[in-house]
Amino acid sequence: MDYLFFTNTPAHVHLYRNAIEELRERGHGALVLARDYGCTLDLLDYYDLPHVVYGELATSKCSLARQLPSHYRTILRKTREYDPDKIFGVGAYAAHAGTVTDAPVFLITDSENTHLDHAISRPFADAYLTPHTFDKDLGEDHHVFRGFKECAYLHPEEWEPQTDVRDELGVGPDEEFAIVRLNAFGSHHDVGHDGFTPEKRGTLVERLAEDVTVFVSDEGDAMDFSSVPARPFDLHPALLHDALAEASLLVADTQTMVTEAALLGTPAIRSNSFVGDGDMGNFAELEREGLIYNLRAFDAVLDRATDLLSRAGVADEWARKREEFLEDKVNLTDLVVRVATDRTMLRSLPTKRTYNLMPTETPI
């Protein structure tokens, strides 16, 4: 069989890369339709995944509107040419690609607040797969798995370090370091939202640098490193998870890396305008489990960061909490492969409407 996957962002590459590799090892065909956004293409090249670029996107909020017509022209043409048996993606691009082929479309999403994308994707999707914490009903074809989309690559059965990242970073074996992740807020779901201001970014780095070495991963490339006591994270982006696993702390105004830190056992602080009433279910659960902190006030971010870096035994505490949290979480790569290769698989997967009636002892 031939499978088509959409990777619109770097996170989507990680979501599907192991499933693509497994399907290809089984003799199936797989093609990625990719958007040139951030380090998406760098990751596809690193993992040697067959791909075609359907367009590019800058980190400005108006870039998508300008590029959308050409994106769709290329997507529909390439989908028709490839003629896949099944399509996997995250949102509208994958859903609408299904209109030019008989292939069923499966979407994995974890963002409840992307209302427009859900509205224009749902009529064309054969099934949605979402985490058990997803606090929204997308209809009768909305299926639930116990875990997060990051379990496709950071589940214990999938994750292993790729390098001795401390040598790559130039830090000693016992040298503590923190990672600051800064969002460009250029995606369509970021419209109307914000994170750390330039002034707060500088203050944050200076406070952290009093205790540890600081690396900054800046999606918008706006940080002036000549004026702050920090180093850019300039390793290949595929090594970011290796660094995150070794870090003493992550502070971020973005989303995905916070969940990744939790699944790797690294304390994380998340602060942006999404935090508060109506926040996404995965972040609420991770905070309940004591793996992350969702903080709106900047002073609270500084105080919590200082506390975590000064407190003894934090690394062992988070390692224990991570292990306990992942005990009943699904290997999402395995689930994607089963959905791809077994047409009856979805029948055994609970829907959003039946999930709460099922026992939680068995991971689904």
Side-chain angles (χ1 to χ4, degrees), residues 4-20:
L4 183 64
F5 292 84
F6 280 79
T7 62
N8 310 326
T9 72
H12 300 168
V13 178
H14 290 301
L15 169 61
Y16 287 119
R17 60 180 171 83
N18 289 334
I20 293 170

Side-chain angles (χ1 to χ4, degrees), residues 212-233:
V212 294
T213 300
V214 180
F215 291 93
V216 176
S217 172
D218 183 5
E219 185 180 45
D221 292 324
M223 175 70 76
D224 179 7
F225 287 94
S226 66
S227 62
V228 294
R231 307 181 201 173
F233 181 86

Side-chain angles (χ1 to χ4, degrees), residues 316-334:
D316 290 339
E317 179 185 351
W318 253 255
R320 175 185 55 78
K321 288 191 287 190
R322 169 197 182 253
E323 183 177 359
E324 292 174 354
F325 180 73
L326 286 172
E327 280 181 352
D328 66 345
K329 302 305 183 291
V330 71
N331 178 339
L332 184 55
T333 284
D334 178 65

